[in-house]
Amino acid sequence: MRAVLFDFSGTLFRIESTEAWLRAVLDDAGIVLAEPELGQVAKALEVVGAQPGGVFPERLPEGLVELWRVRDESAEAHRAAYTGLSRQVPLPRADLHDALYARHMTPAAWAPYPDAADVLRGLSERGLGIGVVSNIGWDPRPVFEAHGLGRFVDAYVLSYEHGIQKPDPRLFAAACAALEVEPRDTLMVGDSAEADGGAVALGCRFHLVRHLPVPERPDALRPVLDLVG
């Protein structure tokens, strides 16, 4: 192996809980909800899939089906899809839906998995190229920088910048080109067999990790160091 590609959300980083996400936005707005009500609203947001990086919607409103399908192909589609889902849940003020969307793009909303830094450092010290290939509608570079991981990443290939989404092999091909490596010499690591596993069609190897809360997944990335030899 000469390079390793990583997914972002659910692979290297995990978004905060829906309740913490909502609480942070309410605190910034100076709005206080009783704990039972806050919990109920957070659960409702989770059910509709309003939090990017969180759980997928249990059911898509008819008017959002097509937008959801292409949500990661542009920043505009991403924002429209997720704020559209959020607006299914009544909030104390209408502007809080946009505030929730803005919150999820901040470094404070994300935590790296416990072994992410060690694994990225180990790969970098071995001279392997490191890329991030993500289906996303915004730039996660500030998240990597704020958590001290940006120095390990050689290339970011983001769906909204290319107008295509994983599992389209063209996104993985762009990452290999950016790192100047052949797909056969590249390992893709991600939490989605469908999306991230699309790298296999290009000739990359693939390693699956589970999308779990940070405390429940302390060392799932460490096998990558053995896989690259």
Side-chain angles (χ1 to χ4, degrees):
M1 295 290 107
R2 293 183 55 210
V4 181
L5 308 177
F6 290 92
D7 175 48
F8 166 53
S9 174
T11 300
L12 291 174
F13 284 86
R14 168 81 182 212
I15 191 74
E16 64 191 338
S17 70
T18 313
E19 186 169 313
W21 178 55
L22 174 62
R23 190 185 299 276
V25 167
L26 293 176
D27 286 348
D28 285 346
I31 297 172
V32 177
L33 293 182
E35 287 300 312
E37 183 180 2
L38 188 147
Q40 291 168 3
V41 175
K43 181 60 178 177
L45 288 167
E46 185 173 296
V47 167
V48 300
Q51 185 188 40
V55 300
F56 283 175
E58 292 188 3
R59 183 187 63 83
L60 282 170
E62 185 174 340
L64 291 178
V65 171
E66 179 57 22
L67 188 60
W68 177 259
R69 187 183 68 81
V70 298
R71 67 192 180 281
D72 294 317
E73 293 184 5
S74 71
E76 296 76 16
H78 194 268
R79 175 182 288 273
Y82 280 102
T83 56
L85 291 170
S86 173
R87 288 189 173 92
Q88 296 180 87
V89 179
L91 296 178
R93 287 196 335 231
D95 64 320
L96 295 179
H97 297 286
D98 289 321
L100 283 171
Y101 186 83
R103 165 71 186 183
H104 102 274
M105 295 186 288
T106 64
W110 296 88
Y113 281 97
D115 54 347
D118 287 346
V119 170
L120 291 177
R121 184 183 299 108
L123 295 171
S124 181
E125 288 174 350
R126 295 182 189 189
L128 276 79
I130 298 173
V132 171
V133 184
S134 179
N135 280 352
I136 197 168
W138 52 279
D139 186 357
R141 291 175 181 87
V143 176
F144 281 82
E145 294 298 332
H147 290 280
L149 302 187
R151 65 187 186 275
F152 301 122
V153 181
D154 301 303
Y156 293 86
V157 177
L158 311 174
S159 62
Y160 84 102
E161 293 181 337
H162 292 261
I164 49 177
Q165 303 176 130
K166 297 180 290 188
D168 192 319
R170 290 177 295 172
L171 210 58
F172 305 107
C176 291
L179 295 173
E180 299 182 340
V181 295
E182 294 296 325
R184 65 176 178 272
D185 299 323
T186 305
L187 174 68
M188 176 69 204
V189 182
D191 67 304
S192 170
E194 178 183 0
D196 301 312
V200 173
L202 191 67
C204 302
R205 292 179 62 189
F206 173 58
H207 178 64
L208 181 68
V209 295
R210 296 179 66 193
H211 188 157
L212 295 172
V214 167
E216 297 178 23
R217 216 196 75 188
D219 55 7
L221 293 171
R222 293 195 186 278
V224 171
L225 295 173
D226 295 325
L227 290 172
V228 298

